[in-house]
Amino acid sequence: MMNETTLTQQVVNVSKEIAGKLLTLETGRIAKQANASVTARIGDTMVLATVCMAPVNRPDIDFFPLTVDYREPMYAAGKFPGGFFKREGRPTDRETLVSRCIDRPMRPLFPDGFKEEVQVLLKVISYDGENEADICGMIAAFAALEISEIPFNGPLGAVRISRKDGELIVNPNADDIQEGTVNLTIAGSKNAIMMVEGGAEEETEEVILDALDLAHSVIKQEIELITEFRSVCGKPKIEFIPPAVDEKLQLRVRELAESRVKEANVILDKHERQAALDAVLEETSSQILAELAAEHQGALDRGEISAEDVEAAAAYKEQIASAPKQIGNIFHDLEKEIMRNRVLHERLRSDNRRPDEIRPITCELGVVPRAHGSALFTRGQTQAMVVTTLGTVDDEQKIDGIRPDFYKQFLLHYNFPPFSVGEVRPLRGPGRREVGHGALAERSLTPLLPSHDDFPYTIRVVSEILESNGSSSMASVCGGSLSLMDAGVPTKSAVAGIAMGLISDGEKYAILSDILGVEDHLGDMDFKVTGTRNGITAFQMDLKIEGITRAIMAEALEQARQGRLHILNIMDQAIDKPRESISPLAPRIQILTIPIEKIRDVIGPGGKMIRKIIQETGTKIDIDDDGRVVIAAMDEEAGAKARNWIETLTEEVEIGRIYKGKITRLMNFGAFAEIIPGQEGLIHISELAERRVNTVEDVVKEGDEVDVQVIEIDDLGRINLSKKLADRASGRTSPDEYRDREKRDDRNKGRGGGDRGRDRGRGGGGGGDRGRRSDRNRGEGGRDRH
């Protein structure tokens, strides 16, 4: 193991070999005006992370304004951005997802009540194609926070775990990720895993646990390096003192509201429960404010303070102004305490379910009549309408980034409109939450899709959340699986998802299945697992506490498995296998492979031939460089017509086969006929008919369609044809018939002196006829004599 520390001109480097790769952290060279900046390097992949803190300009803010933005500029890989402007624009989905992976584990580690604005910016400045930049960036961000003066209960580390050929791999390269059956991004502290994001190909719970164990061992090594880094260059942390709690006010809120909050907490309907809690808060706040006003007036009446006392008046004004916010915070903590205590001590939840109980589920199919596939999945007060659309190669999405460009054939989009939670807000483009939930659902379903060679469609699934009370992303997974089957996509198996939660007070704990929105908000863990009956396909976890033991994690995974099987059983009652055929509204796709040298024949000069086929058949045709042809049509007949046309264009001419040829040119020595598009052959004048042909025009004319047989392909590839043999093979002519006719013609030529004799006979008033009559008479007399 290499462990090196150098300090030169305020530039600090620390390095350590972790899992066979050298990790280097550096500060003091660039971006020195930030609160802290760190460049992390693995191989030739380098990421710059900066952190800055600023006072909040909104004193009434009730949340921690942390912003994390990760960017992958194209120059890092020596590439130009696509598009007209040749400049990076809005963040890509990948950049958004990586930003979320950095934000989620660090956010809980800032002190409670800390409200200063913190911005973490990351930029990939070099990418070598071997070492993934997202893990490098996560480490850089965690290290930058650790050496800054910003209060932060770190440090954290990050790692990716893959599994290939049965072996777990730490920080795999791109090929190992692509070929592996596990791909997990994991962040954690010295004591516990804090965040997991990733997918698997129906792996068991034990494999996932082993991956987490390996990840934590690597994270500890990274934390050792970051701790050393801070010891060399870290700034003193700003002392943060949380706002003091008014114990008298806290006690009064409890006296007035506790019993009523307990009553409201058991109301089943989400909106009714919230309305009841809001009413309790409003009445409690009004009474306390009235008591404060009465107390102030009493002090005035008793002469304890004077009306002219400016300081007393200012203090009272500040007290009245700050009381509603303090009451709201105390009320929130009281609601949280009551909900959690009921779960821990009574084993009952807000909607009176047991910890492992799942809400009622209904599944409906075909709810959108013009869609290729659709499903309505409802679980309690969470409802998702999921719609599947089948497209062609033209609908694939090109992904342009620092990695090699590629095309996506499966897209899943998640929409969360405000009406789903009874709110009013302007509609904008998809936010980080929508991108994250859509990616999780997409990752869940991808392992069960057929290969693109077997099912050559581009597939888009859209999840419209119509109602939400927790687990909407998991409803998208379940509805997506049903919708794909309804569309006739030959998925290998059904997929279901379940969101798990955790309530813990340090001694007791409860694992919750199918959590509500309030349980997500007030609980200690959000833990989503998707999969089939055989194993896990996607995994996402966020912890709000210091960590959980491996035993609790194993118990949560087993409880999630049981819940997943329960949901799959209900889904099977709606549809247990994909439909036999796709929707009649979906395009019909056919695939064939043609020789590479024949591609030019199908495309034609300047694309003339391919355009003609598309125009006349009404199909879409895509030809790959390897000769793979994809034909998409809205009906079978049009697709078959296009396919036959292409097969004809690309077929090889066979000796002895009869073709329908079209006469294209006439020459003195024969006629040329096109037997397949772009392929002509010569019918020599001697092969036009069984009889002797004086001129080609006596038998065929330009534009005629005739049957011809291929009799020879010479060394130069020239094709020789025979109409005579084709007619003979079809029974239209007989060589004996023509032989007899030729013999009679020869005899006539000998007696009549050829054409001139016949002309003279006709000119002599019918001598020719007399001669023919005498021949017949002689012949007849001869037969009589015999």
Side-chain angles (χ1 to χ4, degrees), residues 286-306:
S286 297
Q287 183 166 343
I288 291 176
L289 289 174
E291 290 174 355
L292 291 174
E295 181 180 337
H296 179 70
Q297 186 61 46
L300 288 172
D301 294 343
R302 293 189 298 271
E304 297 174 1
I305 58 174
S306 169

Side-chain angles (χ1 to χ4, degrees), residues 658 707 725-733:
I658 294 176
D707 290 337
L725 294 179
D727 289 342
R728 186 183 296 174
S730 63
R732 286 192 292 268
T733 61

Side-chain angles (χ1 to χ4, degrees), residues 426-475:
L427 288 177
R428 300 286 186 263
R432 289 190 174 192
R433 182 177 182 276
E434 284 85 351
V435 172
H437 281 18
L440 175 61
E442 182 178 295
R443 191 184 307 120
S444 303
L445 296 171
T446 298
L448 283 307
L449 294 175
S451 71
H452 196 62
D453 290 336
D454 295 333
F455 191 75
Y457 287 87
T458 300
I459 305 171
R460 182 181 185 229
V461 175
V462 178
S463 175
E464 301 282 0
I465 303 302
L466 306 181
E467 298 181 46
S468 180
N469 187 12
S471 306
S472 62
S473 62
M474 298 297 94

Side-chain angles (χ1 to χ4, degrees), residues 176-238:
D176 289 336
I177 294 172
Q178 185 68 28
E179 297 168 7
T181 58
V182 170
N183 180 14
L184 298 177
T185 299
I186 303 164
S189 65
K190 182 179 180 180
N191 298 322
I193 298 293
M194 300 293 295
M195 187 280 302
V196 182
E197 180 81 36
E201 295 185 6
E202 296 186 277
E203 291 287 6
T204 65
E205 285 74 10
E206 190 61 33
V207 168
I208 300 298
L209 287 170
D210 290 343
L212 296 181
D213 288 341
L214 176 60
H216 198 211
S217 66
V218 176
I219 286 170
K220 289 178 181 178
Q221 298 178 53
E222 295 172 355
I223 288 175
E224 289 177 1
L225 181 65
I226 294 174
T227 301
E228 177 189 352
F229 194 39
R230 172 165 178 76
S231 68
V232 177
C233 60
K235 300 178 182 178
K237 291 292 183 182
I238 295 173

Side-chain angles (χ1 to χ4, degrees), residues 378-673:
T378 306
R379 177 164 45 193
Q381 288 184 297
T382 296
Q383 185 179 71
M385 181 179 71
V386 190
V387 182
T388 296
T389 306
L390 303 179
T392 66
V393 175
D394 291 345
D395 300 307
E396 293 178 353
Q397 182 185 24
K398 182 179 179 180
I399 303 300
D400 180 26
I402 61 175
R403 287 153 203 77
D405 296 349
F406 66 96
Y407 289 86
K408 284 183 67 175
Q409 288 95 27
F410 177 54
L411 314 170
L412 194 149
H413 296 143
Y414 169 99
N415 296 322
F416 192 85
F419 66 77
S420 66
V421 287
E423 294 179 355
V424 176
R425 66 170 183 266
L427 288 177
R428 300 286 186 263
R432 289 190 174 192
R433 182 177 182 276
E434 284 85 351
V435 172
H437 281 18
L440 175 61
E442 182 178 295
R443 191 184 307 120
S444 303
L445 296 171
T446 298
L448 283 307
L449 294 175
S451 71
H452 196 62
D453 290 336
D454 295 333
F455 191 75
Y457 287 87
T458 300
I459 305 171
R460 182 181 185 229
V461 175
V462 178
S463 175
E464 301 282 0
I465 303 302
L466 306 181
E467 298 181 46
S468 180
N469 187 12
S471 306
S472 62
S473 62
M474 298 297 94
S476 300
V477 173
C478 299
S481 178
L482 294 169
S483 178
L484 286 167
M485 287 189 172
D486 185 55
V489 178
T491 54
K492 301 170 188 174
S493 176
V495 184
I498 185 168
M500 309 294 292
L502 175 72
I503 304 291
S504 174
D505 63 3
E507 296 180 2
K508 294 183 178 180
Y509 70 90
I511 298 170
L512 310 180
S513 296
D514 182 25
I515 58 175
L516 302 171
V518 67
E519 292 168 338
D520 182 9
H521 175 59
L522 301 178
D524 298 323
M525 178 179 72
D526 180 17
F527 176 36
K528 300 182 178 76
V529 187
T530 71
T532 66
R533 286 183 169 82
N534 297 325
I536 292 171
T537 59
F539 188 99
Q540 185 184 85
M541 184 188 77
D542 293 291
L543 279 176
K544 304 175 188 176
I545 55 178
E546 281 297 315
I548 58 176
T549 65
R550 191 184 198 275
I552 294 178
M553 178 66 73
E555 183 180 344
L557 281 170
E558 175 57 26
Q559 190 168 313
R561 188 183 72 85
Q562 295 296 333
R564 188 170 77 241
L565 295 178
H566 169 78
I567 298 167
L568 285 169
N569 289 336
I570 297 174
M571 291 168 59
D572 282 350
Q573 295 173 17
I575 184 170
D576 61 353
K577 61 181 180 180
R579 299 202 186 281
E580 295 296 331
S581 61
I582 63 174
S583 165
L585 301 173
R588 264 53 187 172
I589 292 182
Q590 301 183 50
I591 294 180
L592 65 154
T593 302
I594 63 175
I596 295 176
E597 61 272 13
K598 294 287 185 179
I599 294 176
R600 60 185 179 184
D601 298 330
V602 178
I603 295 175
K608 182 178 178 181
M609 179 58 69
I610 192 70
R611 285 197 300 270
K612 182 178 180 182
I613 299 173
I614 292 171
Q615 183 177 1
E616 293 191 12
T617 62
T619 59
K620 290 182 179 180
I621 301 174
D622 184 82
I623 304 176
D624 293 337
D625 293 338
D626 61 358
R628 184 173 183 263
V629 181
V630 180
I631 305 169
M634 292 310 297
D635 62 80
E636 297 284 357
E637 184 178 349
K641 183 178 178 181
R643 182 186 185 111
N644 291 338
W645 196 331
I646 293 173
E647 287 178 339
T648 302
L649 283 170
T650 58
E651 67 180 339
E652 298 289 344
V653 176
E654 299 178 22
I655 296 177
R657 181 175 171 181
I658 294 176
Y659 294 86
K660 177 70 72 175
K662 183 176 182 179
I663 304 300
T664 58
R665 289 178 292 160
L666 300 180
M667 310 297 289
N668 292 333
F669 52 83
F672 284 94

